[in-house]
Amino acid sequence: MKTSRLDVAARATVDTTLRATLRFAAATALLAGLSAGPAAAAPRAVEAFETGSWARWQATLKQPTVVVFSTTDCAHCPAVFEMLARQIRQRQLKAKLVAVVMDLAPGDDDAGLKRDRHFQGVDRLFAFAGQAPALRYAVEPRWRGVTPYVVFLTPQRPALAVTGPPSPADVDAWVAAAGGAAVQNKP
């Protein structure tokens, strides 16, 4: 069977287009990986946030911690997690970043939560275990569940709570309140 010039030209065009598409896909994947920044470890487990968790947590707090109360559909929460993780890294703070997911219970979708990109930089991941209104009331009686709800904790100091994305001034106030306990010693 004889191949016409038209068949050869068509096959060459398809091959060229396919190679260009594959190169574009490879370049896109590379750029996506680079723009994501350094990979952070995923939380190991989804822990239960129960009625007494907040009081126990504050009573045993050993280092500055920022807690972000979130939901799986919170539009602003991913940017808040990213900004806070970046601030902790850039300022070289010896502090913990914690996520508390309010619309899933432990065991509902632990694998999905641990894989979720915006929880990748957190040190601990909790999910509400119990009635949401009672759990929110245990944290702050006036809080009605608006997310993100960010609570800056410092040992033996009052908590600083912010509804919505925190400002740089909020982060500065937390760092100032934490004093030397939050700043890592450089070798």
Side-chain angles (χ1 to χ4, degrees), residues 7-178:
D7 289 339
V8 171
R11 216 174 292 137
T13 302
V14 168
D15 287 346
T16 302
T17 303
L18 181 60
R19 278 194 295 269
T21 301
L22 290 174
R23 280 194 305 269
F24 177 75
T28 302
L30 177 65
L31 288 174
L34 291 175
S35 66
R44 285 183 233 131
V46 176
E47 303 173 58
F49 188 89
E50 301 164 320
T51 306
S53 295
W54 190 248
R56 277 191 311 273
W57 204 353
Q58 288 185 299
T60 61
L61 188 67
K62 302 256 187 275
Q63 71 184 102
T65 302
V66 60
V67 182
V68 180
F69 291 87
S70 176
T71 57
T72 56
D73 62 352
C74 174
H76 298 287
C77 293
V80 169
F81 282 111
E82 187 177 311
M83 182 271 294
L84 290 169
R86 186 177 56 251
Q87 287 291 320
I88 289 170
R89 250 188 345 267
Q90 286 176 346
R91 294 173 184 236
Q92 298 181 341
L93 301 176
K94 191 170 55 176
K96 297 281 187 193
L97 177 59
V98 176
V100 180
V101 180
M102 301 179 344
D103 58 345
L104 287 177
D108 283 355
D109 186 16
D110 290 2
L113 285 175
K114 290 188 294 185
R115 274 191 321 269
D116 193 315
R117 185 174 164 266
H118 70 269
F119 297 130
Q120 295 303 301
V122 302
D123 296 296
R124 293 178 75 183
L125 178 60
F126 288 83
F128 268 14
Q131 295 184 339
L135 294 169
R136 287 191 315 261
Y137 187 86
V139 173
E140 169 53 60
R142 295 170 296 192
W143 175 39
R144 297 295 173 242
V146 175
T147 60
Y149 187 70
V150 181
V151 183
F152 295 97
L153 299 172
T154 305
Q156 280 111 37
R157 296 222 179 229
L160 168 65
V162 177
T163 301
S167 69
D170 296 325
V171 177
D172 290 342
W174 173 57
V175 171

